[in-house]
Amino acid sequence: MNKPMSSSLPTSPVQIFEERLNARWTNISEARRLSINTRAILKCELSGVDSEDCSLVVSGSLARDEFTLGSDIDWTLLIDGQADPDVIETLPRIVSVVEEVAGKKPGREGTFGAMAFSHNLVHQIGGEDDTNRNTTRRILLLLESIAIGRSEAYERVVKSVLRRYISEDDGFQRGHGKTHVPRFLQNDFARYWRTMAVDFAYKRRSRFGSGTAIRNLKLRMSRKLIYVSGLLTCFRCELERNKCPAFASDPAGSTTAECLTCLRESLKLTPLEILATSLNAFPHLDAAGRRAFDAYDNFLGMLSDNETRDHLEKLQPDAEGLDATWQEARRTTHEFRDALLEIFFDEQSKLHDLTKTYGVF
């Protein structure tokens, strides 16, 4: 199997923040390097499985640039076009390559490692037909996904999903509120975050405590970061409204096309990049931002250490209280949480008011 190596990587908002603080987040940097390299391998090995109407999409840590040697690869063959009975023939090839690269299968819930169709993602937002699986696929398509290879179908679906959130949000479109935040989209991000928290309890019970510690750690760190990036993306519409050309000519609102373009560009960043972008705009939050990224770097370090990860995956709930590894992980999650609280409830920026209005009620 080909092993392309990434040499020099493009500068990211995380690196800009890191350099400004004279920090060194080696685990974040290494995870990014490994993510880019792994995606390059998949693109090389799976050339030809996609088309104008079909994109191979990865999500999870590989899409967030947080891939470690112990990570699995969550993938979806996203279909947006005429039904092709031959497309299923590509699945065994994808499965074989992904398992060889990652060394393990996707999660057992069946959300990934299969085909997904654009109709469900675009048209089933809310209601009884919007299952946990469909919601997960749609929200992660927006917040942590990237196409491997051809991206025509992927981009069409992402933009179609965003268009639904924007075009059906009357308050956002017509500028009824005092602030300009896409509430339909933000509410779905919030719903997914709460669904993940509830499903954690469900999985703990249904799996008899197996894997609880590692899932708890991820819920408090990477899953929470996904929600953070969603909130900041929605808040950005208000925080940067004066930079929007549409508002310059019409302060009461902007066009769907312009909002769609802005949101799409923001969501091309990884969750860590979205957080870093916000922090780069508010230098007075450097101390809190430093604590958040220090904690996240420590989290990725724990996941990349085989012994630590294996220990947390096997740790039983009744042994967590006296376990030194779990207590260290728990302290890391508290540092991350407290730093985020300071950022989102900062009164010097507008984040405090936006968080109260949209994050609470």
Side-chain angles (χ1 to χ4, degrees):
M1 178 171 291
N2 295 324
K3 300 284 185 181
M5 294 300 294
S6 51
S7 51
S8 60
L9 305 179
T11 302
S12 77
V14 175
Q15 289 174 295
I16 294 172
F17 187 53
E18 181 181 30
E19 291 173 4
R20 189 161 61 79
L21 298 186
N22 195 27
R24 184 166 176 78
W25 298 314
T26 56
N27 295 311
I28 292 175
S29 177
E30 174 58 22
R32 181 177 183 237
R33 186 202 64 79
L34 185 58
S35 298
I36 293 173
N37 186 51
T38 302
R39 292 197 299 265
I41 293 172
L42 290 177
K43 181 178 180 179
C44 180
E45 295 296 327
L46 292 173
S47 175
V49 302
D50 46 16
S51 67
E52 181 181 356
D53 296 329
C54 175
S55 292
L56 178 61
V57 180
V58 295
S59 53
S61 60
L62 185 56
R64 294 194 310 269
D65 281 354
E66 298 174 22
F67 195 72
T68 66
L69 293 178
S71 299
D72 55 12
I73 295 177
D74 293 331
W75 62 271
T76 302
L77 195 60
L78 180 61
I79 313 296
D80 180 53
Q82 293 184 343
D84 181 358
D86 295 329
V87 73
I88 198 170
E89 302 298 328
T90 65
L91 295 184
R93 179 184 168 194
I94 298 172
V95 170
S96 175
V97 170
V98 167
E99 288 188 13
E100 184 177 352
V101 172
K104 57 198 305 187
K105 298 180 180 180
R108 69 175 76 177
E109 300 301 318
T111 304
F112 302 104
M115 293 185 293
F117 299 91
S118 60
H119 182 278
N120 297 338
L121 299 172
V122 175
H123 297 289
Q124 294 178 354
I125 302 180
E128 293 183 0
D129 292 331
D130 193 12
T131 62
N132 271 11
R133 180 177 298 178
N134 193 62
T135 299
T136 297
R137 283 175 171 169
R138 182 178 63 253
I139 298 301
L140 296 189
L141 184 73
L142 297 180
L143 294 180
E144 57 159 39
S145 71
I146 189 170
I148 302 293
R150 298 189 63 170
S151 61
E152 297 99 316
Y154 169 73
E155 287 295 334
R156 285 199 306 270
V157 176
V158 170
K159 291 175 182 176
S160 293
V161 171
L162 285 174
R163 187 177 295 111
R164 276 218 51 198
Y165 285 115
I166 299 305
S167 63
E168 297 180 21
D169 191 332
D170 288 343
F172 184 71
Q173 283 283 72
R174 300 174 185 175
H176 290 164
K178 294 182 180 179
T179 52
H180 191 67
V181 173
R183 181 166 281 187
F184 184 12
L185 177 62
Q186 186 270 320
N187 280 337
D188 216 17
F189 287 155
R191 177 175 70 144
Y192 178 62
W193 162 240
R194 296 305 178 190
T195 297
M196 286 191 289
V198 171
D199 282 355
F200 167 76
Y202 158 74
K203 290 177 181 178
R204 174 174 175 147
R205 184 174 188 269
S206 64
R207 298 181 185 181
F208 306 103
S210 175
T212 295
I214 194 73
R215 286 198 307 275
N216 194 348
L217 176 60
K218 290 180 179 180
L219 178 66
R220 297 181 185 206
M221 298 297 294
S222 55
R223 306 296 186 257
K224 183 178 291 183
L225 176 64
I226 294 170
Y227 179 45
V228 164
S229 68
L231 276 181
L232 290 174
T233 296
C234 293
F235 290 173
R236 180 189 178 197
C237 296
E238 168 63 21
L239 294 172
E240 299 188 4
R241 66 188 300 181
N242 292 332
K243 298 180 182 180
C244 176
F247 278 110
S249 58
D250 179 15
S254 61
T255 67
T256 297
E258 287 164 331
C259 290
L260 180 61
T261 298
C262 182
L263 283 169
R264 180 66 194 112
E265 288 304 308
S266 179
L267 291 170
K268 286 180 179 179
L269 300 176
T270 68
L272 277 176
E273 288 175 337
I274 290 172
L275 177 58
T277 298
S278 295
L279 291 169
N280 284 328
F282 299 114
H284 68 280
L285 292 173
D286 280 357
R290 173 70 181 260
R291 293 197 301 274
F293 272 87
D294 283 350
Y296 211 85
D297 189 69
N298 189 40
F299 160 66
L300 290 181
M302 299 184 83
L303 293 186
S304 63
D305 183 87
N306 290 335
E307 184 177 345
T308 300
R309 185 174 189 138
D310 185 63
H311 178 80
L312 290 173
E313 287 178 343
K314 296 178 180 178
L315 184 64
Q316 292 299 307
D318 57 3
E320 290 177 357
L322 299 177
D323 186 80
T325 301
W326 169 246
Q327 291 306 316
E328 171 61 23
R330 189 167 178 267
R331 282 191 293 273
T332 297
T333 68
H334 288 176
E335 290 167 3
F336 187 60
R337 175 201 64 194
D338 292 345
L340 291 178
L341 287 173
E342 185 173 340
I343 292 167
F344 276 91
F345 286 95
D346 168 65
E347 295 191 6
Q348 187 174 335
S349 66
K350 208 169 185 177
L351 286 171
H352 177 265
D353 293 334
L354 292 172
T355 300
K356 285 197 306 180
T357 302
Y358 297 96
V360 179
F361 294 110

